[in-house]
Amino acid sequence: MKKIPLTILLLFFGYYNLIAQNIKKPNVIVIYTDDQGAGDLGCYGATDIFSPNIDKLAEDGIRFTQAYVAAPVCAPSRAALLTGNYPQRAGVPGNTSASIGSDGLPDEQYTMAELFKDNGYKTAHVGKWHLGMSEASSPNNQGFDYYFGHLRGCIDNYSHFFFWEGPNIHDLHENGKEVFYDGKYFPDLMAEKVDAFIDKNQPDPFFLFYAINMPHYPYQPTQKWKNYYSDKGVEFPRSDYGAFISTIDERIGMLIDQLDSLGLREDTIIVYQSDNGYSTEMRAFNGGGSSGPYRGAKSSLFEGGIRLPTIISWKGNLPENKVSKQFLLNTDWMPTLSKLCGLENNKSTIDGIDLSSMLMNTQQKSPRTSAFWKYGSQWVVRDGKWKLIAYPKDTSHKGELDLEGDALFLSNLDEDVSEMTNLASKHPEIVKKLIKKYIEWDYGSIDDVPKETKKVNHLAVDAIIKSTLPLHANYKNIKVLTDGKRGYLDYSSGQWIGQEGQDLEFFIDLKKEQNIEKISCGYLEDSGNWIFKPKQVSVSFSSNGKDFKESLFLTDEENNKNKNTFKGKFSVEKPFTARYLKINIKNIGVCPPTHQGAGSNAWLFIDELYIE
């Protein structure tokens, strides 16, 4: 056999390497909608939602019925997606501040955008960021070559002012500079910027994070779709919410049409997912969305808050018209897309798992069998079919929860995805096993595990209590102030009395003269939810209920100043005799200048008035 000359071999391998280097990697578009419910697409069972383009995307790919996000609210869900890590490891355990210059996603986090950029991709983020207001946290510093959109949680789609605190904060930016498109519909602006980015960068592989800000409030669909749902007889607010979904769908149709016209459809991986469940907040008219068969919505760790519409489509490369029941978490997209695109990934270990082989073969079992969630006082361990929630919150209001009996809530998701029945008492061994698993997690703690609430008997238990100032409409059950129990570390648990921007004052009748030695007032501080400790707590006392003696001022006993969320207590010790007491709790009024809600009304929450 004749030997091939070395020079020819070198030329051959050089040519081969040149060809290999010029084989274009697939483009990637991640579409992330905002506050979209689990049951709010035609392909997910909605009969009153018109979503033909997204439904077609599902037909052209794989639709998941057991895909989750790592948090039930916007910012931590996005941080998990972009870093492949649980929100706690990503450094964004809750929603980020809207204050100018405030930090969000830490600079040291390695993002999906940086991964693609390091592998020769052009990268862009269009839409909602909500991961920090500082330069270090900005999209351009987190791996995106191009950025257009709003930095805070939500904007008016026409004026582009921050919706929570407007109209004084304009929030529209392009590559670090404030830009103005007064009166122009933001969904159309996003579509234009996406179109321009793809058209400009089509010769190169590109990664696009299309962070659509709909159907997050304010509900501002186009008139075309408002009329469509009105004509169908859909009632408000479902009508506007549905019209907003169709507004999304129409623009996704535009995106796919552009890819088709450029011959890029089979060269492009499209991932579609919602960031968390639908909102039941007042600004969202208390609803409009649907969690389908699931319990829970935004802010809840029941399935409706975290188990959401998810689709992947890569025509000609991944299976089409398939429905997968396999377990997936949004942290898994980073390693999975990396593998599908053949990227070099030098990042250290992350929480996400590569699911690419499962996508290639939809009959294959998911390598993900467990996951953790932690948001506020709520936490979850999912292990196979079993799911344990601590301090559950049902923002969908599908059923009642017993504050103590349901503090640990166990479900078998193979048998009942509705989570309407607590199985904890029937399977204590499973509960014990899952608690152990949670405590062993990097971000779990035995201190997070619900403990039996012990009732403390004091003189005010069973006393007559009345409010002398107007109460907030949502917090009128003042009997919780003298039931002998401290509330959970969650203002919405039903164990607290809250007031927005105003003071609280209570009149207590002990029914007879009592020797009193100590008076205390329990409070909650949760700055992320605009809840602050009282500015001042004072008590005056009387023997006849009319003539109250001079006030005693209570002192704050809380020493741990390093926590953003904690329970504290104001107290005073001084012996006196009285039957009637008047306790005044002063609100700080407005959030302090350094807070994200600076100038807006501050909340005050108290939970027990101890008289000993």
Side-chain angles (χ1 to χ4, degrees), residues 428-447:
E429 73 288 353
I430 300 295
V431 172
K432 185 176 180 181
K433 172 187 171 185
L434 295 179
I435 288 175
K436 181 176 184 293
K437 195 173 180 71
Y438 172 75
I439 294 171
E440 292 172 348
W441 180 45
D442 290 347
Y443 302 96
S445 169
I446 193 170
D447 294 334

Side-chain angles (χ1 to χ4, degrees), residues 243-373:
F244 228 8
I245 296 287
S246 294
T247 302
I248 296 172
D249 182 82
E250 188 173 43
R251 278 140 192 83
I252 289 176
M254 296 173 185
L255 169 65
I256 295 172
D257 286 346
Q258 182 190 17
L259 294 175
D260 285 336
S261 67
L262 295 173
L264 297 176
R265 184 68 177 89
E266 294 187 354
D267 297 329
T268 304
I269 300 171
I270 302 175
V271 173
Y272 178 98
Q273 191 169 44
S274 172
D275 67 344
N276 50 250
Y278 76 97
S279 174
T280 56
E281 297 164 86
M282 179 181 66
R283 297 180 185 92
F285 301 99
N286 303 310
S290 169
S291 54
Y294 311 124
R295 187 177 192 175
K298 183 178 180 179
S299 299
S300 170
L301 290 181
F302 279 119
E303 297 288 276
I306 54 177
R307 184 168 173 167
L308 300 164
T310 303
I311 298 164
I312 185 169
S313 174
W314 185 13
K315 286 183 68 65
N317 295 277
L318 288 178
E320 298 183 21
N321 201 22
K322 297 290 184 180
V323 177
S324 173
K325 299 179 181 178
Q326 298 303 314
F327 192 0
L328 177 153
L329 189 64
N330 68 339
T331 56
D332 301 332
W333 285 123
M334 186 169 179
T336 300
L337 292 171
S338 176
K339 187 63 176 289
L340 289 175
C341 296
L343 307 185
E344 291 183 11
N345 185 358
N346 297 320
K347 185 176 180 181
S348 58
T349 304
I350 59 174
D351 296 314
I353 299 172
D354 173 18
L355 305 181
S356 57
S357 61
M358 181 193 81
L359 298 181
M360 294 291 187
N361 178 8
T362 55
Q363 299 303 311
Q364 186 181 111
K365 291 283 187 182
S366 174
R368 176 169 291 286
T369 59
S370 63
F372 300 92
W373 288 263

Side-chain angles (χ1 to χ4, degrees), residues 152-321:
R152 295 170 177 85
C154 56
I155 59 170
D156 178 275
N157 287 283
Y158 293 96
S159 69
H160 316 134
F161 282 90
F162 182 33
F163 187 69
W164 286 339
E165 299 172 26
N168 57 327
I169 302 178
H170 179 262
D171 188 11
L172 192 58
H173 303 266
E174 189 168 27
N175 288 335
K177 295 182 179 180
E178 188 175 13
V179 292
F180 295 87
Y181 291 88
D182 298 347
K184 192 154 186 181
Y185 194 43
F186 184 63
D188 288 341
L189 285 171
M190 284 191 291
E192 289 174 12
K193 299 299 183 180
V194 164
D195 184 285
F197 173 78
I198 293 174
D199 190 60
K200 178 181 178 181
N201 294 285
Q202 57 177 304
D204 302 302
F206 60 80
F207 168 66
L208 169 65
F209 183 29
Y210 194 1
I212 296 174
N213 66 321
M214 301 175 282
H216 194 295
Y217 55 79
Y219 294 164
Q220 294 174 310
T222 58
Q223 192 63 46
K224 166 186 173 179
W225 292 114
K226 284 176 71 75
N227 292 342
Y228 174 89
Y229 283 87
S230 176
D231 292 344
K232 293 287 184 181
V234 180
E235 294 185 359
F236 182 84
R238 179 68 171 173
S239 56
D240 273 12
Y241 179 92
F244 228 8
I245 296 287
S246 294
T247 302
I248 296 172
D249 182 82
E250 188 173 43
R251 278 140 192 83
I252 289 176
M254 296 173 185
L255 169 65
I256 295 172
D257 286 346
Q258 182 190 17
L259 294 175
D260 285 336
S261 67
L262 295 173
L264 297 176
R265 184 68 177 89
E266 294 187 354
D267 297 329
T268 304
I269 300 171
I270 302 175
V271 173
Y272 178 98
Q273 191 169 44
S274 172
D275 67 344
N276 50 250
Y278 76 97
S279 174
T280 56
E281 297 164 86
M282 179 181 66
R283 297 180 185 92
F285 301 99
N286 303 310
S290 169
S291 54
Y294 311 124
R295 187 177 192 175
K298 183 178 180 179
S299 299
S300 170
L301 290 181
F302 279 119
E303 297 288 276
I306 54 177
R307 184 168 173 167
L308 300 164
T310 303
I311 298 164
I312 185 169
S313 174
W314 185 13
K315 286 183 68 65
N317 295 277
L318 288 178
E320 298 183 21
N321 201 22

Side-chain angles (χ1 to χ4, degrees), residues 13-126:
F13 283 115
Y15 176 74
Y16 176 82
N17 287 334
L18 182 64
I19 294 296
Q21 289 171 9
N22 283 282
I23 294 175
K24 186 171 181 270
K25 296 182 185 298
N27 308 308
V28 175
I29 300 176
V30 175
I31 301 169
Y32 220 46
T33 58
D34 198 359
D35 288 10
Q36 181 180 357
D40 289 327
L41 288 172
C43 59
Y44 278 90
T47 58
D48 58 349
I49 297 288
F50 186 67
S51 53
N53 295 299
I54 302 172
D55 296 347
K56 181 63 167 59
L57 186 67
E59 288 179 13
D60 291 340
I62 306 168
R63 177 173 65 85
F64 294 90
T65 61
Q66 199 173 177
Y68 293 81
V69 292
V73 294
C74 304
S77 174
R78 291 158 195 272
L81 170 79
L82 290 177
T83 65
N85 282 321
Y86 285 118
Q88 291 72 28
R89 198 182 311 280
V92 187
N95 276 337
T96 55
S97 171
S99 298
I100 296 173
S102 58
D103 290 327
L105 186 63
D107 182 49
E108 61 269 19
Q109 288 290 329
Y110 187 68
T111 68
M112 195 186 298
E114 289 170 310
L115 170 64
F116 280 100
K117 187 173 182 176
D118 289 347
N119 280 270
Y121 278 65
K122 302 298 184 183
T123 59
H125 177 284
V126 174

